[in-house]
Amino acid sequence: MKRSLPELSHPQQPLVMVTAYDFPGARQAQAAGVDLILVGDSLGNVVLGYDSTAPVTLGDIIHHARAVRRGAPDTFLVVDLPFGTYHTGVTDAMRHAVRVVQETGADALKMEGATPEVLDVVRVLTRNGIPVMGHVGLMPQTATAQGGLRVQGKDDESARRTLEGALALQEAGAFAVVLEAIPARLARLITERLDVATIGIGAGVHCDGQVLVYHDLLGLYEGDEKKIAKRYAELGRQAREALQTYAAEVRAREFPTKDQSFVMKDEVLDKLY
Ligand code: KIV
């Protein structure tokens, strides 16, 4: 079992993180040797069909994270705390965090933002032995308040807020910080200023690690190209073509063939006539 915290203080080799939401995805990620798996609340968009992450519940994330843990028992597992589960005070946040850790076997939790309220939660969780990964830049849970799903840190105010947020998260005890959709040069500066690792998504090559959403990197949604995600496969197209071939073969009675059928002795069948 290699579930110790990966080398997080500016590792020599960039850390590889990928999201997973179910047993097969987690098995594939572990077999591929990724360093960290994230059960992201992108679950809401890519698996549950919502148009934002906000509707994802604690129950949803726990249900999926349990399956991920079964598929990847030996990989460091980070689980997102969903929107609303750490916004009503540290006592509620701690209760929800303990539930996620106890019920899923998560090694760490991730939460978005660096407001004073979120920093209080990070302090309480980390002091009580729950490792926390922070997340600044574009924060999908509160994207509406950020003016939509758009790149952050491009103007003075936003760049400073992002840098200061990352530093404050480290100060509060976060063991790593996700930088989402910010200019590469800002991500580089933040990475230089922090002692803990930065993990980028749409934040350039100078972060200490990279994370991608499983469905994006495998191209599971045809036509859904995102600037921040490289598609390493086109599994959506392959899946659709396979399903179309299956449908055509069933309709033409070309499937199943003898290979997928069972045989019986003539005398057994004859007795039924
Ligand atoms: O929910 C998620 O998948 C995330 C990653 C994009 C970092 O937060």
Side-chain angles (χ1 to χ4, degrees):
M1 175 144 120
K2 68 161 192 98
R3 265 172 54 193
S4 56
L5 213 56
E7 175 49 62
L8 286 166
S9 189
H10 302 313
Q12 289 279 312
Q13 186 168 266
L15 297 162
V16 180
M17 180 156 97
V18 66
T19 66
Y21 314 94
D22 57 17
F23 179 80
R27 268 175 66 118
Q28 288 153 356
Q30 178 162 296
V34 305
D35 299 305
L36 306 101
I37 293 178
L38 169 67
V39 183
D41 61 358
S42 47
L43 168 74
N45 303 99
V46 298
V47 174
L48 300 180
Y50 298 128
D51 61 6
S52 84
T53 58
V56 175
T57 65
L58 199 65
D60 292 333
I61 211 95
I62 289 174
H63 177 74
H64 286 267
R66 285 164 67 96
V68 169
R69 179 44 97 206
R70 289 193 288 271
D74 300 334
T75 304
F76 193 87
L77 180 64
V78 184
V79 177
D80 256 344
L81 280 183
F83 178 65
T85 64
Y86 55 101
H87 302 88
T88 54
V90 288
T91 310
D92 283 352
M94 186 68 194
R95 194 174 62 248
H96 294 145
V98 167
R99 235 193 104 188
V100 175
V101 169
Q102 286 184 331
E103 294 183 26
T104 70
D107 297 302
L109 303 179
K110 180 169 83 58
M111 62 192 74
E112 294 180 7
T115 60
E117 294 76 17
V118 170
L119 293 171
D120 281 346
V121 172
V122 175
R123 264 181 225 106
V124 169
L125 264 56
T126 53
R127 275 197 208 129
N128 285 284
I130 300 179
V132 173
M133 180 177 278
H135 184 151
V136 295
L138 174 60
M139 293 173 283
Q141 289 181 1
T142 49
T144 313
Q146 287 187 302
L149 289 171
R150 59 169 58 154
V151 66
Q152 301 293 309
K154 287 186 93 164
D155 59 60
D156 297 358
E157 202 265 316
S158 170
R160 184 154 299 283
R161 188 166 10 97
T162 308
L163 169 62
E164 286 174 359
L167 286 165
L169 282 162
Q170 167 175 282
E171 184 66 30
F175 72 91
V177 180
V178 167
L179 306 178
E180 179 163 355
I182 61 170
R185 289 198 297 172
L186 176 60
R188 181 179 198 162
L189 173 71
I190 295 174
T191 302
E192 283 164 7
R193 292 276 178 91
L194 291 189
D195 296 322
V196 300
T198 57
I199 302 197
I201 174 162
V205 76
H206 298 292
C207 299
D208 295 303
Q210 298 292 330
V211 56
L212 277 181
V213 168
Y214 180 89
H215 292 59
D216 293 342
L217 94 87
L218 294 178
L220 277 160
Y221 286 112
E222 287 184 85
D224 185 22
E225 311 269 340
K226 296 194 178 102
K227 179 167 170 65
I228 61 175
K230 178 169 173 186
R231 292 163 80 101
Y232 288 86
E234 289 295 339
L235 297 194
R237 177 169 46 74
Q238 278 186 264
R240 177 183 49 75
E241 286 171 358
L243 289 162
Q244 284 170 331
T245 306
Y246 164 64
E249 289 191 1
V250 168
R251 289 174 185 137
R253 292 197 190 281
E254 288 168 6
F255 174 85
T257 67
K258 276 190 180 153
D259 287 346
Q260 293 92 31
S261 305
F262 298 101
V263 294
M264 70 189 291
K265 291 189 179 118
D266 289 347
E267 56 267 35
V268 177
L269 183 63
D270 286 348
K271 282 189 198 141
L272 298 175
Y273 280 98

